Amino acid sequence: MADIARMAGVSISTVSRALAGNPLIPKALRDHIVEIAQTHGYVVNQSARSLRLRKTDTIGVIIPLAHEAGQLISDPFFLEMVGRLADEITRRGYSVLLNKVIVNETGWLERIIQSHRADGLLLIGQSNQHEALNTVSDTYRPMVVWGARLPGQRYCAVGSDNVEGGRVAVAHLAANGRARIAFLGETDAPEAIQRFEGYKKGLAEAGLAFDPTLVVPTPYTAGEAREAMATFLATGVPFDAVFAFSDVVALAAIDALKAAGRTVPGDVAVVGFDDVVQAQHSTPPLTTVRQDLAFGARAMVDLLLRRMAGEDAPSTLAPVELIVRGSSVAS
Amino acid sequence: MADIARMAGVSISTVSRALAGNPLIPKALRDHIVEIAQTHGYVVNQSARSLRLRKTDTIGVIIPLAHEAGQLISDPFFLEMVGRLADEITRRGYSVLLNKVIVNETGWLERIIQSHRADGLLLIGQSNQHEALNTVSDTYRPMVVWGARLPGQRYCAVGSDNVEGGRVAVAHLAANGRARIAFLGETDAPEAIQRFEGYKKGLAEAGLAFDPTLVVPTPYTAGEAREAMATFLATGVPFDAVFAFSDVVALAAIDALKAAGRTVPGDVAVVGFDDVVQAQHSTPPLTTVRQDLAFGARAMVDLLLRRMAGEDAPSTLAPVELIVRGSSVAS
DNA sequence: CTGAAAGCGCTAACAC
DNA sequence: GTGTTAGCGCTTTCAG
């Protein structure tokens, strides 16, 4: 910047003002300075600017992983969410700092905040960190979390109506004559628990008894889910439908069912959750509870910017919608 | 940091050294200082650190978009690449700055570099910016580009063997008795051009004549690709196979073919390129030329780090592999 | 309207 | 071993 100043024959502060478009500097001079900066490929150093201004024009997107390793790439839901958030953030003139963190040691979030690399934080998923998030949010405002609405929640959350999603999935299966509906999923994370609640609610509304033998604890990844389904099949417990808490799990279940000689939806109807891209391309196409990620991503960024501006933006529920395809009803 | 210094009863530079693990400070004192910093939630301000050290411990991942708008989310290939790069970068202790840029105005890359927000740059795709990249690379070393190897290329590129991929796809179709093989794709970007070359090479090797009426200019997105295929069908030009330059286009083509009453692979055999996740879940499953993105991402990050260290890392070709599934051969 | 000067929070000579 | 000090490159009072 000093160089530019010398070249333009003005002081360094004039250059700073000109480059910032400060109207105190006459337009002619401003343009001249901008031009000379441009021809010399000069761009303001963001580290220095951030230090001085105490802001980075950057939003941190954090993917909290509870169980170590778990490659980011594996989950199409995360990936799609990252893409949509990146779009929204970029559109508003901010940069995206992507942050994959293993949330084992306490203080992981505080560390990210204190490093001052971002003006605001977006977490994709609350993992098992509900209390940590509550604590942090008491002192740090510019943060929005994708995840479940929980009682006593003090942080700003945007998430789908998981209970309703589970309920509507089961209602659909019951309405099509299914009576023994298995639940496939983990019940450790809040979102999973809510979908499980919706599952039980749906059963109750349909006049079906809840049968614990139909609950199949199933990990998040395709490989493990396929195994879990195979193991469940081996138990011989009779069932005619599956509600899986994610599409990845549902698609894996379909694979396992086919491998075991069961037809879908003939022998077993399957409903998933998310509506990832491959849901519509599977065989049969997957009936699923669609999460509106476009809405969710927009809402998260909107709320975050409001919080960064000092407002107190509220938590928001994103609508879900049952998408009926071939995996749950004969075509 | 001044606060921590006061609390520890030492000078500010001692704190800096202690937090950096400098062995000049006795271990006991170091631990003590680290502890007091921790309990007070103190973390080094990265803006200040970056300014002073002239490094950010951040790697910029850039998605260059030639044709405006084009949502990031739409292309599963980009998304998977971002995920894999993020994994590799994080694993090496760097942060990821995600950057979606519309490459319309010249100097876009110089601007990113000069802003000094990243210590190195990874571009996903060279778009139509071959010359711009060449120019920049003469003065800026820490940059690696995913894309085609091109004659007179002065920047470091990692990419699949596109020609070989196209060749092998066509060879496979020809070996299965197909004689009129259409090419679906744009031929503006280098990678697309190379796949098209491979297509012609494959035809030649199989003793098939190249027929320009079988070349169908097809945009990248699913919707437009479906339309392009439909339009091509309407022309009545006879064909019994399709080689599409991406899976997204291939899957869209299958949709359009089915809608027009053609069977796959009966009437028309289809081969794609990429092996995105949904390729294995389509009906029929898609035969495709698999790009080894795990390899590619690792190579890109490796090469970049070497370049950041001052070495002069060479361009690299990633192997491709034909994955035969149901869309090209009767099961 | 423009320039001089202070200082954002940190690291690393350079003393002691 | 530890403290003093000089900047890293920028923005912005405060004077003129």
Side-chain angles (χ1 to χ4, degrees), chain B residues 150-197:
Chain B
L150 259 23
Q153 184 168 60
R154 302 196 297 279
Y155 52 93
C156 176
V158 175
S160 291
D161 191 338
N162 294 299
V163 177
E164 173 63 10
R167 191 194 67 76
V168 87
V170 171
H172 165 70
L173 288 167
N176 282 274
R178 309 291 171 160
R180 294 197 46 81
I181 305 171
F183 176 83
L184 262 65
E186 211 67 272
T187 47
D188 57 345
E191 295 191 86
I193 293 172
Q194 295 190 338
R195 289 171 203 178
F196 182 54
E197 270 170 33

Side-chain angles (χ1 to χ4, degrees), chain A residues 219-295:
Chain A
Y220 298 82
T221 62
E224 294 173 292
R226 206 150 24 221
E227 236 171 80
M229 184 75 237
T231 309
F232 178 61
L233 279 163
T235 64
V237 174
F239 66 105
D240 56 12
V242 163
F243 167 51
F245 84 146
S246 85
D247 283 352
V248 170
V249 169
L251 292 170
I254 291 180
D255 279 356
L257 286 165
K258 284 191 198 161
R262 310 285 182 103
T263 62
V264 177
D267 296 332
V268 180
V270 177
V271 177
F273 207 110
D274 284 347
D275 197 22
V276 298
V277 215
Q278 40 289 37
Q280 46 190 304
H281 292 294
S282 64
T283 313
L286 185 65
T287 294
T288 189
V289 179
R290 179 170 150 63
Q291 303 203 65
D292 193 342
L293 293 198
F295 173 94

Side-chain angles (χ1 to χ4, degrees), chain B:
Chain B
M1 191 175 265
D3 298 349
I4 305 296
R6 202 174 321 110
M7 291 170 177
V10 296
S11 85
I12 192 173
S13 38
T14 300
V15 174
S16 175
R17 285 192 263 254
L19 260 29
N22 188 323
L24 280 179
I25 312 287
K27 180 134 179 30
L29 177 54
R30 236 190 303 158
D31 290 349
H32 178 230
I33 292 177
V34 168
E35 160 129 17
I36 158 164
Q38 209 147 53
T39 59
H40 289 264
Y42 170 81
V43 174
V44 174
N45 180 317
Q46 291 299 322
S47 297
R49 185 166 205 275
S50 298
L51 177 58
R52 178 66 231 240
L53 258 29
R54 310 159 133 277
K55 75 187 182 90
T56 58
D57 294 322
T58 297
I59 289 177
V61 172
I62 300 179
I63 302 175
L65 299 173
H67 319 286
E68 217 252 315
Q71 296 271 49
L72 164 59
I73 38 120
S74 53
D75 201 317
F77 173 82
F78 275 146
L79 243 28
E80 187 180 342
M81 196 61 170
V82 168
R84 301 204 110 109
L85 288 176
D87 280 349
E88 292 294 334
I89 293 169
T90 305
R91 203 158 62 72
R92 289 166 168 83
Y94 282 81
S95 295
V96 182
L97 192 66
L98 205 57
N99 231 315
K100 203 177 66 163
V101 278
I102 316 295
V103 295
N104 37 16
E105 42 202 58
T106 61
W108 60 274
L109 189 49
E110 286 84 349
R111 256 191 303 284
I112 292 176
I113 294 169
Q114 287 302 325
S115 73
H116 290 287
R117 296 180 58 115
D119 299 341
L121 257 28
L122 256 21
L123 306 227
I124 307 183
Q126 57 214 145
S127 187
N128 52 5
Q129 300 290 304
H130 179 59
E131 260 322 315
L133 295 176
N134 257 344
T135 307
V136 163
S137 78
D138 290 338
T139 58
Y140 185 74
R141 311 308 328 224
M143 173 175 84
V144 176
V145 180
W146 174 266
R149 285 287 273 289
L150 259 23
Q153 184 168 60
R154 302 196 297 279
Y155 52 93
C156 176
V158 175
S160 291
D161 191 338
N162 294 299
V163 177
E164 173 63 10
R167 191 194 67 76
V168 87
V170 171
H172 165 70
L173 288 167
N176 282 274
R178 309 291 171 160
R180 294 197 46 81
I181 305 171
F183 176 83
L184 262 65
E186 211 67 272
T187 47
D188 57 345
E191 295 191 86
I193 293 172
Q194 295 190 338
R195 289 171 203 178
F196 182 54
E197 270 170 33
Y199 161 80
K200 288 192 286 194
K201 192 169 168 193
L203 289 179
E205 288 182 9
L208 297 171
F210 169 65
D211 179 353
T213 64
L214 288 175
V215 176
V216 187
T218 312
Y220 298 81
T221 60
E224 293 174 292
R226 205 148 26 219
E227 237 171 81
M229 184 75 236
T231 309
F232 178 62
L233 279 163
T235 64
V237 174
F239 66 104
D240 56 13
V242 163
F243 167 50
F245 85 146
S246 84
D247 284 352
V248 169
V249 169
L251 293 170
I254 291 182
D255 279 357
L257 286 165
K258 284 192 200 160
R262 311 283 181 105
T263 62
V264 177
D267 297 333
V268 179
V270 177
V271 177
F273 207 111
D274 284 348
D275 196 22
V276 300
V277 215
Q278 43 280 46
Q280 45 191 303
H281 293 293
S282 64
T283 312
L286 184 66
T287 293
T288 189
V289 179
R290 179 170 149 64
Q291 303 203 66
D292 194 341
L293 293 199
F295 173 93
R298 211 176 324 113
M300 287 180 75
V301 177
D302 279 346
L303 293 177
L304 181 62
L305 291 185
R306 284 168 54 186
R307 293 192 144 238
M308 283 164 53
E311 282 181 65
D312 194 28
S315 290
T316 302
L317 210 54
V320 294
E321 181 190 2
L322 181 75
I323 308 289
V324 178
R325 301 203 182 92
S327 70
S328 65
V329 291
S331 55

Side-chain angles (χ1 to χ4, degrees), chain A:
Chain A
M1 191 176 263
D3 297 349
I4 305 296
R6 202 173 321 111
M7 291 168 175
V10 296
S11 84
I12 192 173
S13 34
T14 300
V15 174
S16 174
R17 285 192 264 254
L19 261 28
N22 189 324
L24 280 179
I25 311 289
K27 178 132 180 31
L29 178 54
R30 235 190 301 160
D31 290 349
H32 178 231
I33 292 178
V34 168
E35 160 130 16
I36 156 164
Q38 210 146 53
T39 59
H40 289 264
Y42 171 80
V43 173
V44 174
N45 179 315
Q46 290 301 321
S47 296
R49 184 165 206 275
S50 298
L51 177 58
R52 177 67 233 237
L53 259 28
R54 309 159 134 278
K55 75 188 181 90
T56 58
D57 293 321
T58 297
I59 289 177
V61 172
I62 300 179
I63 303 175
L65 299 173
H67 318 286
E68 218 253 314
Q71 296 273 48
L72 164 59
I73 38 120
S74 54
D75 201 318
F77 172 82
F78 274 146
L79 242 29
E80 188 179 343
M81 195 61 169
V82 168
R84 302 204 110 109
L85 288 175
D87 281 349
E88 293 293 334
I89 293 169
T90 305
R91 204 158 61 72
R92 289 168 168 83
Y94 282 82
S95 296
V96 182
L97 192 66
L98 205 56
N99 232 314
K100 203 177 68 161
V101 278
I102 316 295
V103 295
N104 37 16
E105 42 203 59
T106 61
W108 60 274
L109 188 49
E110 285 84 349
R111 255 191 303 282
I112 292 176
I113 294 170
Q114 287 302 324
S115 72
H116 291 287
R117 297 181 59 118
D119 298 342
L121 257 27
L122 255 22
L123 305 226
I124 307 183
Q126 58 215 141
S127 186
N128 53 5
Q129 301 288 304
H130 178 60
E131 260 321 315
L133 296 176
N134 257 345
T135 306
V136 164
S137 79
D138 290 339
T139 58
Y140 184 73
R141 310 311 324 224
M143 174 177 83
V144 176
V145 179
W146 173 267
R149 287 286 274 288
L150 260 22
Q153 185 169 60
R154 302 196 297 280
Y155 53 92
C156 177
V158 175
S160 290
D161 192 337
N162 294 300
V163 176
E164 174 62 10
R167 192 193 67 76
V168 86
V170 171
H172 165 70
L173 288 168
N176 281 276
R178 309 292 171 159
R180 292 199 44 84
I181 305 170
F183 176 83
L184 262 64
E186 210 67 270
T187 47
D188 56 346
E191 295 191 86
I193 293 171
Q194 294 188 340
R195 288 171 201 178
F196 182 55
E197 269 170 34
Y199 161 79
K200 288 192 283 191
K201 193 169 166 193
L203 288 179
E205 288 182 9
L208 297 171
F210 168 67
D211 178 352
T213 63
L214 289 175
V215 177
V216 187
T218 311
Y220 298 82
T221 62
E224 294 173 292
R226 206 150 24 221
E227 236 171 80
M229 184 75 237
T231 309
F232 178 61
L233 279 163
T235 64
V237 174
F239 66 105
D240 56 12
V242 163
F243 167 51
F245 84 146
S246 85
D247 283 352
V248 170
V249 169
L251 292 170
I254 291 180
D255 279 356
L257 286 165
K258 284 191 198 161
R262 310 285 182 103
T263 62
V264 177
D267 296 332
V268 180
V270 177
V271 177
F273 207 110
D274 284 347
D275 197 22
V276 298
V277 215
Q278 40 289 37
Q280 46 190 304
H281 292 294
S282 64
T283 313
L286 185 65
T287 294
T288 189
V289 179
R290 179 170 150 63
Q291 303 203 65
D292 193 342
L293 293 198
F295 173 94
R298 210 175 324 114
M300 285 180 75
V301 178
D302 279 345
L303 293 176
L304 181 62
L305 290 185
R306 285 168 54 186
R307 292 191 146 239
M308 282 163 54
E311 281 182 65
D312 194 28
S315 290
T316 302
L317 211 53
V320 293
E321 181 189 2
L322 182 74
I323 309 288
V324 178
R325 301 203 182 94
S327 70
S328 65
V329 291
S331 56

